Amino acid sequence: SGYDRIDRKEGILCIFSWGFPRKYRYIFLRFLMKDIQSIRIEVKEGIYARCVLYMEISGQGPVPLTRIDENLTPRKIEQKATELAYFLRVPIEVF
């Protein structure tokens, strides 16, 4: 569980996730919106096919936005990526 906060006026994006990486821990990330380079969709094919959504941050690398065990369809991932990229005004990359 957690939340995302986007403040366009100040140009800040915050991501908070409770229970990551363990039950009683959390992660809090804060980025400048101008540092967001793209929204990335990673598709793994094979027996255990999966799609993962990332946000590519300049100087930080990719930040996962979906859990690895979250089994979303490619259509759902594409929809989420499109909405987020449109809102943030960044391109979408597919790997």
Side-chain angles (χ1 to χ4, degrees):
S1 65
Y3 66 86
D4 302 327
R5 181 175 159 254
I6 300 171
D7 186 338
R8 279 198 175 178
K9 185 177 177 182
E10 295 198 25
I12 296 172
L13 171 83
C14 298
I15 299 172
F16 175 81
S17 181
W18 183 255
F20 181 84
R22 292 192 180 93
K23 189 175 180 180
Y24 296 108
R25 295 191 182 198
Y26 65 91
I27 188 167
F28 180 78
L29 303 172
R30 183 177 171 154
F31 305 105
L32 295 175
M33 289 179 64
K34 68 179 184 168
D35 291 339
I36 302 171
Q37 294 181 323
S38 65
I39 299 300
R40 188 169 101 187
I41 301 171
E42 188 174 291
V43 180
K44 301 270 185 174
E45 295 182 10
I47 296 172
Y48 301 106
R50 64 184 171 129
C51 294
V52 181
L53 189 62
Y54 295 92
M55 185 168 32
E56 189 72 36
I57 308 293
S58 178
Q60 299 287 324
V63 174
L65 300 176
T66 55
R67 294 188 328 255
I68 293 174
D69 64 344
E70 191 173 2
N71 202 8
L72 297 173
T73 64
R75 184 178 190 101
K76 281 283 193 188
I77 290 284
E78 181 182 326
Q79 182 181 9
K80 286 181 179 235
T82 301
E83 291 171 1
L84 189 56
Y86 178 78
F87 182 78
L88 295 172
R89 299 182 183 131
V90 296
I92 297 173
E93 298 176 339
V94 179
F95 288 90

Coordinates of all heavy atoms in Angstrom, one line a residue:
S1 N 0.8 -1.2 0.0 CA 0.0 0.0 0.0 C 0.9 1.2 0.0 O 2.0 1.2 0.4 CB -0.9 0.0 1.2 OG -0.2 0.1 2.4
G2 N 0.3 2.4 -0.4 CA 1.1 3.6 -0.4 C 0.3 4.6 -1.2 O -0.9 4.5 -1.5
Y3 N 1.1 5.6 -1.7 CA 0.5 6.7 -2.5 C 1.6 7.3 -3.4 O 2.8 7.2 -3.1 CB -0.2 7.7 -1.6 CG 0.8 8.5 -0.7 CD1 1.5 9.7 -1.2 CD2 1.1 8.1 0.5 CE1 2.4 10.4 -0.5 CE2 2.0 8.8 1.3 CZ 2.6 9.9 0.8 OH 3.5 10.6 1.6
D4 N 1.1 8.0 -4.4 CA 1.9 8.9 -5.2 C 1.4 10.3 -5.1 O 0.2 10.5 -5.1 CB 1.9 8.4 -6.7 CG 2.3 6.9 -6.8 OD1 3.1 6.5 -6.1 OD2 1.7 6.3 -7.7
R5 N 2.3 11.2 -5.1 CA 1.9 12.6 -5.0 C 2.6 13.4 -6.1 O 3.9 13.4 -6.2 CB 2.3 13.2 -3.7 CG 1.8 14.7 -3.5 CD 2.1 15.2 -2.1 NE 2.2 16.6 -2.1 CZ 3.3 17.3 -2.0 NH1 4.4 16.7 -1.9 NH2 3.2 18.6 -2.1
I6 N 1.9 14.1 -6.9 CA 2.5 14.9 -8.0 C 2.0 16.3 -7.8 O 0.9 16.6 -7.8 CB 2.0 14.3 -9.4 CG1 2.4 12.9 -9.6 CG2 2.6 15.2 -10.5 CD1 1.8 12.2 -10.8
D7 N 3.0 17.2 -7.7 CA 2.8 18.6 -7.5 C 3.4 19.3 -8.7 O 4.6 19.6 -8.7 CB 3.4 19.1 -6.2 CG 3.1 20.5 -5.9 OD1 2.7 21.3 -6.8 OD2 3.2 20.9 -4.7
R8 N 2.5 19.7 -9.7 CA 3.0 20.3 -10.9 C 3.5 21.8 -10.6 O 4.4 22.2 -11.2 CB 1.9 20.4 -11.9 CG 1.8 19.1 -12.7 CD 1.0 19.4 -13.9 NE 1.0 18.2 -14.7 CZ 0.4 18.0 -15.8 NH1 -0.3 19.0 -16.3 NH2 0.4 16.9 -16.5
K9 N 2.9 22.4 -9.6 CA 3.3 23.8 -9.3 C 4.7 23.8 -8.8 O 5.5 24.7 -9.3 CB 2.4 24.3 -8.2 CG 2.6 25.8 -7.9 CD 1.6 26.3 -6.9 CE 1.9 27.7 -6.5 NZ 1.0 28.2 -5.5
E10 N 5.1 22.9 -8.0 CA 6.5 22.9 -7.5 C 7.4 21.9 -8.3 O 8.6 21.9 -8.1 CB 6.5 22.4 -6.0 CG 5.8 23.4 -5.1 CD 6.2 23.3 -3.7 OE1 7.2 22.7 -3.4 OE2 5.3 23.7 -2.8
G11 N 6.8 21.2 -9.2 CA 7.6 20.3 -10.1 C 8.2 19.1 -9.3 O 9.3 18.7 -9.6
I12 N 7.4 18.5 -8.4 CA 7.9 17.4 -7.6 C 7.0 16.2 -7.7 O 5.8 16.3 -7.7 CB 8.0 17.9 -6.1 CG1 9.0 19.0 -6.0 CG2 8.4 16.7 -5.2 CD1 9.1 19.6 -4.6
L13 N 7.6 15.0 -7.7 CA 6.9 13.8 -7.7 C 7.4 13.0 -6.5 O 8.6 12.8 -6.3 CB 7.1 13.0 -9.0 CG 6.6 11.6 -9.0 CD1 5.1 11.6 -9.4 CD2 7.4 10.7 -9.9
C14 N 6.4 12.5 -5.7 CA 6.8 11.7 -4.5 C 6.1 10.3 -4.6 O 4.9 10.2 -5.0 CB 6.3 12.3 -3.2 SG 7.1 13.9 -2.9
I15 N 6.8 9.3 -4.2 CA 6.3 7.9 -4.2 C 6.5 7.3 -2.8 O 7.7 7.3 -2.4 CB 7.0 7.0 -5.3 CG1 6.7 7.6 -6.7 CG2 6.5 5.6 -5.2 CD1 7.5 6.9 -7.8
F16 N 5.5 6.9 -2.2 CA 5.6 6.3 -0.9 C 4.9 4.9 -1.0 O 3.8 4.7 -1.5 CB 4.8 7.1 0.2 CG 4.8 6.4 1.5 CD1 5.9 6.6 2.4 CD2 3.7 5.7 2.0 CE1 5.9 5.9 3.6 CE2 3.7 5.1 3.2 CZ 4.8 5.2 4.0
S17 N 5.7 3.9 -0.5 CA 5.2 2.5 -0.5 C 5.4 1.9 0.9 O 6.6 1.8 1.3 CB 5.8 1.7 -1.6 OG 5.3 0.4 -1.6
W18 N 4.4 1.5 1.6 CA 4.5 0.8 2.9 C 4.6 -0.7 2.7 O 4.0 -1.2 1.8 CB 3.3 1.2 3.7 CG 3.4 0.6 5.1 CD1 2.7 -0.5 5.6 CD2 4.2 1.1 6.2 NE1 3.1 -0.7 6.9 CE2 4.0 0.2 7.3 CE3 5.1 2.1 6.3 CZ2 4.6 0.4 8.5 CZ3 5.7 2.3 7.5 CH2 5.5 1.4 8.6
G19 N 5.5 -1.3 3.5 CA 5.7 -2.8 3.4 C 6.7 -3.1 2.4 O 6.7 -4.2 1.9
F20 N 7.5 -2.2 2.0 CA 8.6 -2.5 1.0 C 9.9 -2.0 1.6 O 10.0 -0.9 2.1 CB 8.4 -1.7 -0.3 CG 9.4 -1.9 -1.3 CD1 9.3 -3.0 -2.2 CD2 10.5 -1.1 -1.4 CE1 10.3 -3.3 -3.1 CE2 11.5 -1.4 -2.4 CZ 11.4 -2.4 -3.2
P21 N 10.9 -2.8 1.6 CA 11.0 -4.2 1.1 C 10.6 -5.3 2.0 O 10.5 -6.4 1.6 CB 12.5 -4.3 0.8 CG 13.2 -3.4 1.8 CD 12.2 -2.3 2.1
R22 N 10.2 -4.9 3.2 CA 9.7 -5.9 4.1 C 8.4 -5.4 4.8 O 8.0 -4.2 4.6 CB 10.7 -6.3 5.2 CG 11.9 -7.0 4.6 CD 12.7 -7.6 5.7 NE 13.9 -8.3 5.1 CZ 15.0 -7.8 4.9 NH1 15.3 -6.6 5.2 NH2 16.0 -8.5 4.4
K23 N 7.8 -6.2 5.6 CA 6.5 -5.9 6.2 C 6.4 -4.6 6.9 O 5.5 -3.8 6.7 CB 6.0 -7.1 7.1 CG 4.6 -6.9 7.6 CD 4.2 -8.1 8.4 CE 2.8 -8.0 8.8 NZ 2.3 -9.1 9.6
Y24 N 7.4 -4.3 7.8 CA 7.4 -3.1 8.6 C 8.3 -2.0 8.1 O 8.8 -1.3 8.9 CB 7.6 -3.5 10.1 CG 6.5 -4.4 10.6 CD1 6.8 -5.7 10.9 CD2 5.3 -3.9 10.8 CE1 5.8 -6.5 11.4 CE2 4.3 -4.7 11.3 CZ 4.5 -6.0 11.6 OH 3.5 -6.8 12.1
R25 N 8.6 -2.0 6.9 CA 9.5 -1.0 6.3 C 8.8 -0.3 5.2 O 7.7 -0.7 4.8 CB 10.7 -1.7 5.7 CG 11.6 -2.3 6.8 CD 12.9 -2.7 6.3 NE 13.6 -3.3 7.4 CZ 14.9 -3.5 7.4 NH1 15.6 -3.1 6.3 NH2 15.5 -4.1 8.3
Y26 N 9.4 0.8 4.8 CA 8.7 1.6 3.7 C 9.8 2.2 2.8 O 11.0 2.2 3.2 CB 7.9 2.7 4.3 CG 8.6 3.8 5.1 CD1 9.1 4.9 4.4 CD2 8.8 3.6 6.4 CE1 9.8 5.8 5.1 CE2 9.5 4.6 7.2 CZ 10.0 5.7 6.5 OH 10.7 6.6 7.2
I27 N 9.4 2.7 1.7 CA 10.3 3.4 0.8 C 9.6 4.8 0.4 O 8.4 4.8 0.2 CB 10.6 2.6 -0.5 CG1 11.6 3.3 -1.3 CG2 9.3 2.3 -1.3 CD1 12.2 2.4 -2.4
F28 N 10.4 5.8 0.4 CA 9.9 7.1 0.1 C 10.9 7.7 -0.9 O 12.1 7.9 -0.6 CB 9.8 8.1 1.3 CG 9.3 9.4 1.0 CD1 8.0 9.7 0.7 CD2 10.2 10.5 0.9 CE1 7.5 10.9 0.4 CE2 9.7 11.8 0.5 CZ 8.4 12.0 0.3
L29 N 10.4 8.0 -2.1 CA 11.2 8.5 -3.2 C 10.7 9.9 -3.6 O 9.5 10.1 -3.7 CB 11.2 7.6 -4.4 CG 11.7 6.2 -4.2 CD1 11.4 5.3 -5.4 CD2 13.1 6.1 -3.8
R30 N 11.6 10.8 -3.9 CA 11.2 12.2 -4.3 C 12.0 12.6 -5.5 O 13.2 12.5 -5.4 CB 11.3 13.1 -3.1 CG 10.9 14.5 -3.4 CD 11.1 15.3 -2.1 NE 10.8 16.7 -2.5 CZ 10.4 17.6 -1.6 NH1 10.3 17.3 -0.4 NH2 10.2 18.8 -2.0
F31 N 11.3 13.0 -6.5 CA 12.0 13.4 -7.8 C 11.5 14.7 -8.3 O 10.4 15.1 -8.0 CB 11.8 12.4 -8.9 CG 12.1 11.0 -8.5 CD1 11.1 10.1 -8.2 CD2 13.5 10.6 -8.5 CE1 11.5 8.8 -7.9 CE2 13.8 9.3 -8.1 CZ 12.8 8.4 -7.9
L32 N 12.4 15.4 -9.0 CA 11.9 16.6 -9.7 C 11.3 16.1 -11.0 O 11.8 15.2 -11.7 CB 13.1 17.5 -10.1 CG 13.8 18.1 -8.9 CD1 15.0 18.9 -9.3 CD2 12.8 19.0 -8.1
M33 N 10.2 16.7 -11.4 CA 9.4 16.2 -12.6 C 10.3 16.4 -13.8 O 10.2 15.7 -14.8 CB 8.1 16.9 -12.7 CG 7.1 16.4 -11.6 SD 5.5 17.2 -11.7 CE 4.9 16.7 -13.3
K34 N 11.1 17.4 -13.8 CA 12.0 17.7 -15.0 C 13.0 16.6 -15.2 O 13.5 16.4 -16.3 CB 12.7 19.0 -14.9 CG 13.7 19.1 -13.8 CD 14.4 20.5 -13.8 CE 15.5 20.4 -12.7 NZ 16.3 21.6 -12.8
D35 N 13.3 15.8 -14.2 CA 14.2 14.7 -14.3 C 13.6 13.4 -14.8 O 14.3 12.4 -15.1 CB 14.9 14.4 -13.0 CG 15.8 15.5 -12.6 OD1 16.3 16.3 -13.4 OD2 16.1 15.6 -11.3
I36 N 12.3 13.3 -15.0 CA 11.6 12.2 -15.5 C 11.8 12.1 -17.0 O 11.3 13.0 -17.7 CB 10.1 12.2 -15.1 CG1 9.9 12.2 -13.6 CG2 9.4 10.9 -15.7 CD1 8.5 12.4 -13.2
Q37 N 12.5 11.1 -17.5 CA 12.8 11.0 -18.9 C 11.7 10.3 -19.7 O 11.4 10.7 -20.9 CB 14.1 10.3 -19.1 CG 15.3 11.1 -18.6 CD 16.6 10.4 -18.8 OE1 16.7 9.2 -18.7 NE2 17.6 11.2 -19.1
S38 N 11.1 9.2 -19.2 CA 10.2 8.4 -19.9 C 9.5 7.5 -19.0 O 9.9 7.2 -17.8 CB 10.8 7.7 -21.0 OG 11.7 6.7 -20.5
I39 N 8.4 6.9 -19.5 CA 7.7 5.8 -18.9 C 8.1 4.5 -19.7 O 8.0 4.6 -20.9 CB 6.2 6.0 -18.9 CG1 5.8 7.2 -18.1 CG2 5.5 4.7 -18.3 CD1 6.2 7.2 -16.7
R40 N 8.5 3.5 -19.0 CA 9.1 2.3 -19.8 C 8.2 1.1 -19.5 O 7.9 0.8 -18.3 CB 10.5 2.1 -19.3 CG 11.2 1.1 -20.1 CD 12.7 1.1 -19.8 NE 13.0 0.0 -18.9 CZ 14.1 -0.2 -18.3 NH1 15.1 0.7 -18.5 NH2 14.3 -1.2 -17.5
I41 N 7.9 0.4 -20.5 CA 7.2 -0.9 -20.4 C 8.2 -2.0 -20.7 O 8.8 -2.0 -21.8 CB 6.0 -1.0 -21.3 CG1 5.0 0.1 -21.1 CG2 5.3 -2.4 -21.2 CD1 3.9 0.2 -22.1
E42 N 8.4 -2.9 -19.8 CA 9.3 -4.0 -20.0 C 8.5 -5.3 -20.2 O 7.7 -5.6 -19.3 CB 10.3 -4.2 -18.9 CG 11.4 -5.2 -19.2 CD 12.4 -5.2 -18.1 OE1 13.2 -4.2 -18.0 OE2 12.5 -6.2 -17.3
V43 N 8.6 -6.0 -21.3 CA 7.9 -7.2 -21.6 C 8.8 -8.4 -21.6 O 9.8 -8.4 -22.3 CB 7.1 -7.1 -22.9 CG1 6.4 -8.4 -23.2 CG2 6.3 -5.9 -23.0
K44 N 8.5 -9.3 -20.7 CA 9.3 -10.6 -20.6 C 8.4 -11.7 -21.2 O 7.3 -11.9 -20.7 CB 9.7 -10.9 -19.2 CG 10.5 -9.9 -18.5 CD 11.9 -10.1 -18.7 CE 12.7 -9.1 -17.8 NZ 14.1 -9.3 -17.8
E45 N 8.9 -12.3 -22.3 CA 8.1 -13.4 -22.9 C 8.6 -14.7 -22.4 O 9.7 -14.8 -21.9 CB 8.2 -13.2 -24.4 CG 7.5 -12.0 -24.9 CD 7.5 -11.9 -26.4 OE1 7.9 -12.8 -27.1 OE2 7.2 -10.8 -26.9
G46 N 7.8 -15.8 -22.6 CA 8.3 -17.1 -22.3 C 7.2 -17.8 -21.4 O 6.0 -17.4 -21.4
I47 N 7.6 -18.8 -20.7 CA 6.7 -19.6 -19.8 C 6.1 -18.7 -18.8 O 4.9 -18.7 -18.5 CB 7.4 -20.8 -19.2 CG1 7.9 -21.7 -20.3 CG2 6.5 -21.5 -18.2 CD1 8.7 -22.9 -19.8
Y48 N 7.0 -17.8 -18.2 CA 6.5 -16.9 -17.1 C 6.5 -15.5 -17.7 O 7.2 -14.6 -17.2 CB 7.4 -17.0 -15.9 CG 7.4 -18.4 -15.3 CD1 8.5 -19.2 -15.4 CD2 6.3 -18.9 -14.6 CE1 8.6 -20.5 -14.9 CE2 6.3 -20.2 -14.1 CZ 7.5 -21.0 -14.2 OH 7.5 -22.2 -13.7
A49 N 5.6 -15.3 -18.6 CA 5.5 -14.0 -19.3 C 5.0 -12.9 -18.3 O 4.1 -13.2 -17.4 CB 4.6 -14.0 -20.5
R50 N 5.5 -11.7 -18.4 CA 5.0 -10.6 -17.5 C 5.4 -9.3 -18.1 O 6.3 -9.2 -18.9 CB 5.7 -10.8 -16.1 CG 7.2 -10.6 -16.1 CD 7.7 -10.8 -14.7 NE 9.2 -10.8 -14.9 CZ 10.0 -10.1 -14.2 NH1 9.5 -9.3 -13.2 NH2 11.3 -10.1 -14.3
C51 N 4.7 -8.3 -17.6 CA 4.9 -6.9 -18.0 C 5.1 -6.1 -16.8 O 4.4 -6.2 -15.8 CB 3.7 -6.3 -18.8 SG 3.4 -7.1 -20.4
V52 N 6.1 -5.2 -16.8 CA 6.4 -4.4 -15.7 C 6.5 -2.9 -16.2 O 7.1 -2.7 -17.3 CB 7.8 -4.8 -15.0 CG1 8.0 -3.9 -13.8 CG2 7.7 -6.2 -14.6
L53 N 6.0 -2.0 -15.4 CA 6.0 -0.6 -15.7 C 7.1 0.1 -14.9 O 7.1 -0.1 -13.7 CB 4.6 0.0 -15.4 CG 4.3 1.4 -15.9 CD1 4.4 1.5 -17.4 CD2 2.9 1.8 -15.4
Y54 N 7.9 0.9 -15.6 CA 8.9 1.7 -14.9 C 8.9 3.2 -15.2 O 8.3 3.5 -16.3 CB 10.3 1.2 -15.4 CG 10.7 -0.2 -15.0 CD1 10.4 -1.2 -15.9 CD2 11.3 -0.5 -13.8 CE1 10.8 -2.5 -15.5 CE2 11.7 -1.8 -13.5 CZ 11.4 -2.8 -14.3 OH 11.8 -4.1 -14.0
M55 N 9.5 4.0 -14.4 CA 9.6 5.4 -14.7 C 11.1 5.6 -14.8 O 11.9 5.3 -13.8 CB 9.0 6.3 -13.6 CG 9.0 7.7 -13.9 SD 8.0 8.8 -12.8 CE 8.0 7.9 -11.3
E56 N 11.6 6.1 -15.9 CA 13.0 6.3 -16.1 C 13.4 7.7 -15.6 O 12.8 8.7 -16.1 CB 13.4 6.2 -17.6 CG 14.8 6.2 -17.9 CD 15.5 4.9 -17.5 OE1 14.9 3.8 -17.6 OE2 16.7 5.0 -17.1
I57 N 14.3 7.8 -14.6 CA 14.7 9.1 -14.0 C 16.1 9.4 -14.3 O 17.0 8.5 -14.2 CB 14.6 9.0 -12.4 CG1 13.2 8.5 -12.0 CG2 14.9 10.3 -11.8 CD1 12.1 9.4 -12.3
S58 N 16.4 10.6 -14.8 CA 17.7 11.0 -15.2 C 18.7 10.9 -14.0 O 18.4 11.4 -12.9 CB 17.7 12.5 -15.6 OG 18.9 12.9 -16.0
G59 N 19.8 10.2 -14.2 CA 20.7 10.0 -13.1 C 20.4 8.9 -12.1 O 21.2 8.6 -11.2
Q60 N 19.2 8.4 -12.1 CA 18.7 7.4 -11.1 C 18.5 6.1 -11.7 O 18.5 5.1 -11.0 CB 17.4 7.9 -10.4 CG 17.6 9.2 -9.7 CD 18.3 9.0 -8.4 OE1 18.3 8.0 -7.7 NE2 19.1 10.1 -8.1
G61 N 18.2 6.0 -13.0 CA 17.8 4.8 -13.6 C 16.3 4.5 -13.5 O 15.5 5.4 -13.1
P62 N 15.9 3.3 -13.8 CA 14.4 3.0 -13.8 C 13.9 2.8 -12.3 O 14.6 2.1 -11.5 CB 14.3 1.7 -14.6 CG 15.7 1.1 -14.5 CD 16.7 2.2 -14.3
V63 N 12.7 3.3 -12.1 CA 12.0 3.1 -10.8 C 10.8 2.2 -11.1 O 9.9 2.7 -11.9 CB 11.6 4.4 -10.2 CG1 10.8 4.2 -8.9 CG2 12.8 5.2 -9.9
P64 N 10.7 1.0 -10.5 CA 9.5 0.2 -10.8 C 8.2 0.8 -10.3 O 8.2 1.3 -9.1 CB 9.8 -1.1 -10.2 CG 10.8 -0.9 -9.2 CD 11.6 0.4 -9.6
L65 N 7.2 0.8 -11.1 CA 5.9 1.3 -10.7 C 4.8 0.2 -10.4 O 3.8 0.5 -9.8 CB 5.3 2.3 -11.7 CG 6.2 3.5 -12.0 CD1 5.6 4.3 -13.1 CD2 6.4 4.3 -10.7
T66 N 5.1 -1.0 -10.9 CA 4.2 -2.1 -10.6 C 5.1 -3.2 -9.9 O 6.3 -3.3 -10.1 CB 3.6 -2.7 -11.9 OG1 4.7 -3.0 -12.8 CG2 2.7 -1.7 -12.6
R67 N 4.4 -4.0 -9.1 CA 5.1 -5.1 -8.4 C 5.4 -6.2 -9.4 O 4.6 -6.4 -10.4 CB 4.2 -5.6 -7.3 CG 4.0 -4.7 -6.2 CD 3.3 -5.3 -5.0 NE 2.3 -6.4 -5.3 CZ 1.0 -6.2 -5.3 NH1 0.5 -5.1 -5.0 NH2 0.2 -7.3 -5.6
I68 N 6.5 -6.9 -9.2 CA 6.8 -8.0 -10.1 C 5.8 -9.1 -10.1 O 5.5 -9.7 -11.1 CB 8.2 -8.5 -9.8 CG1 9.3 -7.4 -10.1 CG2 8.5 -9.8 -10.5 CD1 10.7 -7.7 -9.7
D69 N 5.2 -9.3 -8.9 CA 4.2 -10.4 -8.8 C 2.8 -9.9 -9.2 O 1.9 -10.7 -9.2 CB 4.2 -10.9 -7.4 CG 3.7 -9.9 -6.3 OD1 3.7 -8.7 -6.7 OD2 3.4 -10.3 -5.2
E70 N 2.7 -8.6 -9.6 CA 1.4 -8.1 -10.0 C 1.2 -8.5 -11.5 O 1.9 -8.0 -12.4 CB 1.4 -6.6 -9.9 CG 0.0 -6.0 -10.1 CD 0.0 -4.5 -9.8 OE1 1.1 -3.9 -9.5 OE2 -1.0 -3.9 -9.9
N71 N 0.3 -9.4 -11.7 CA 0.2 -10.0 -13.0 C -0.8 -9.3 -13.9 O -2.0 -9.7 -14.1 CB -0.3 -11.5 -12.9 CG 0.1 -12.3 -14.1 OD1 0.8 -11.8 -15.0 ND2 -0.4 -13.5 -14.1
L72 N -0.5 -8.1 -14.4 CA -1.3 -7.3 -15.2 C -1.2 -7.7 -16.7 O -0.1 -8.1 -17.1 CB -1.0 -5.8 -15.1 CG -1.2 -5.2 -13.7 CD1 -0.6 -3.8 -13.6 CD2 -2.6 -5.2 -13.3
T73 N -2.3 -7.6 -17.4 CA -2.2 -7.9 -18.8 C -1.5 -6.8 -19.5 O -1.4 -5.7 -19.1 CB -3.7 -8.0 -19.4 OG1 -4.3 -6.7 -19.3 CG2 -4.5 -9.0 -18.6
P74 N -0.9 -7.1 -20.7 CA -0.2 -6.1 -21.5 C -1.2 -4.9 -21.8 O -0.7 -3.8 -21.8 CB 0.1 -6.8 -22.8 CG 0.3 -8.3 -22.4 CD -0.8 -8.5 -21.3
R75 N -2.4 -5.2 -22.0 CA -3.4 -4.1 -22.3 C -3.5 -3.1 -21.1 O -3.5 -1.9 -21.2 CB -4.7 -4.7 -22.6 CG -5.7 -3.6 -23.0 CD -7.1 -4.3 -23.4 NE -8.0 -3.3 -24.0 CZ -8.2 -3.2 -25.3 NH1 -7.6 -4.0 -26.2 NH2 -9.0 -2.3 -25.8
K76 N -3.6 -3.7 -19.8 CA -3.7 -2.9 -18.6 C -2.4 -2.0 -18.4 O -2.5 -0.9 -18.1 CB -3.9 -3.7 -17.4 CG -5.3 -4.2 -17.2 CD -6.1 -3.0 -16.7 CE -7.5 -3.5 -16.2 NZ -8.4 -2.5 -15.9
I77 N -1.2 -2.7 -18.6 CA 0.0 -2.0 -18.5 C 0.1 -0.8 -19.5 O 0.5 0.3 -19.2 CB 1.2 -2.9 -18.7 CG1 1.3 -3.9 -17.5 CG2 2.5 -2.2 -18.9 CD1 1.9 -3.3 -16.3
E78 N -0.3 -1.1 -20.7 CA -0.3 -0.1 -21.8 C -1.2 1.1 -21.4 O -0.8 2.2 -21.6 CB -0.7 -0.7 -23.1 CG -0.7 0.2 -24.3 CD -1.2 -0.4 -25.6 OE1 -1.0 -1.6 -25.8 OE2 -1.9 0.3 -26.3
Q79 N -2.3 0.8 -20.9 CA -3.3 1.8 -20.5 C -2.7 2.7 -19.4 O -2.8 3.9 -19.4 CB -4.6 1.2 -20.1 CG -5.7 2.2 -19.7 CD -7.0 1.5 -19.2 OE1 -7.0 0.3 -19.0 NE2 -8.0 2.3 -19.1
K80 N -2.1 2.1 -18.4 CA -1.5 2.8 -17.3 C -0.4 3.7 -17.8 O -0.2 4.8 -17.4 CB -1.0 1.8 -16.2 CG -2.1 1.2 -15.4 CD -1.5 0.3 -14.3 CE -2.6 -0.2 -13.4 NZ -2.4 0.0 -12.0
A81 N 0.5 3.1 -18.6 CA 1.6 3.8 -19.2 C 1.2 5.0 -20.0 O 1.8 6.1 -19.9 CB 2.5 2.9 -20.0
T82 N 0.2 4.8 -20.8 CA -0.3 5.9 -21.6 C -0.9 7.1 -20.8 O -0.5 8.2 -21.0 CB -1.4 5.4 -22.6 OG1 -0.9 4.3 -23.4 CG2 -2.0 6.5 -23.5
E83 N -1.7 6.7 -19.8 CA -2.2 7.8 -18.9 C -1.1 8.5 -18.2 O -1.1 9.8 -18.1 CB -3.2 7.2 -17.9 CG -4.5 6.6 -18.5 CD -5.3 5.8 -17.6 OE1 -4.9 5.7 -16.4 OE2 -6.4 5.4 -18.0
L84 N -0.2 7.8 -17.6 CA 0.9 8.4 -16.9 C 1.8 9.3 -17.8 O 2.2 10.4 -17.4 CB 1.7 7.4 -16.1 CG 2.7 7.8 -15.1 CD1 2.1 8.7 -14.1 CD2 3.4 6.7 -14.5
A85 N 2.2 8.7 -18.9 CA 3.1 9.5 -19.9 C 2.4 10.7 -20.4 O 3.0 11.8 -20.5 CB 3.4 8.6 -21.0
Y86 N 1.1 10.7 -20.6 CA 0.3 11.8 -21.1 C 0.3 12.9 -20.0 O 0.5 14.1 -20.2 CB -1.1 11.4 -21.5 CG -2.0 12.6 -21.9 CD1 -1.8 13.2 -23.1 CD2 -2.9 13.1 -21.0 CE1 -2.6 14.2 -23.5 CE2 -3.7 14.2 -21.4 CZ -3.5 14.8 -22.6 OH -4.3 15.8 -23.0
F87 N 0.0 12.5 -18.7 CA 0.0 13.4 -17.6 C 1.3 14.1 -17.3 O 1.4 15.3 -17.1 CB -0.5 12.7 -16.3 CG -0.6 13.6 -15.2 CD1 -1.7 14.4 -15.0 CD2 0.3 13.6 -14.2 CE1 -1.9 15.2 -13.9 CE2 0.2 14.4 -13.1 CZ -0.9 15.2 -13.0
L88 N 2.4 13.3 -17.4 CA 3.7 13.8 -17.1 C 4.4 14.4 -18.3 O 5.4 15.0 -18.2 CB 4.6 12.6 -16.6 CG 4.2 12.0 -15.3 CD1 5.1 10.8 -15.0 CD2 4.4 13.1 -14.2
R89 N 3.8 14.2 -19.5 CA 4.3 14.8 -20.8 C 5.7 14.3 -21.1 O 6.6 15.0 -21.4 CB 4.3 16.3 -20.7 CG 2.9 16.9 -20.5 CD 3.0 18.4 -20.5 NE 1.6 18.9 -20.2 CZ 1.4 19.8 -19.3 NH1 2.3 20.3 -18.6 NH2 0.1 20.2 -19.1
V90 N 5.8 12.9 -21.0 CA 7.0 12.2 -21.4 C 6.7 11.1 -22.4 O 5.6 10.6 -22.4 CB 7.7 11.7 -20.1 CG1 8.2 12.8 -19.2 CG2 6.9 10.7 -19.4
P91 N 7.7 10.6 -23.1 CA 7.5 9.5 -24.0 C 7.4 8.2 -23.3 O 7.7 8.0 -22.2 CB 8.7 9.6 -24.9 CG 9.8 10.2 -24.1 CD 9.1 11.1 -23.2
I92 N 6.9 7.2 -24.1 CA 6.8 5.8 -23.6 C 7.8 5.0 -24.4 O 8.0 5.1 -25.6 CB 5.4 5.2 -23.9 CG1 4.3 5.9 -23.1 CG2 5.4 3.7 -23.6 CD1 2.9 5.5 -23.4
E93 N 8.6 4.2 -23.7 CA 9.6 3.3 -24.3 C 9.1 1.8 -24.0 O 8.6 1.5 -22.9 CB 10.9 3.5 -23.7 CG 11.5 4.9 -23.9 CD 12.8 5.1 -23.3 OE1 13.2 4.3 -22.3 OE2 13.5 6.0 -23.7
V94 N 9.3 0.9 -25.0 CA 9.0 -0.5 -24.8 C 10.2 -1.3 -25.0 O 10.9 -1.2 -26.0 CB 7.9 -0.9 -25.8 CG1 7.5 -2.4 -25.5 CG2 6.6 -0.1 -25.6
F95 N 10.5 -2.2 -24.0 CA 11.7 -3.1 -24.0 C 11.2 -4.5 -23.9 O 10.3 -4.8 -23.3 CB 12.6 -2.8 -22.9 CG 13.4 -1.5 -23.1 CD1 12.9 -0.3 -22.5 CD2 14.6 -1.4 -23.7 CE1 13.5 0.9 -22.7 CE2 15.3 -0.3 -23.9 CZ 14.7 0.9 -23.4

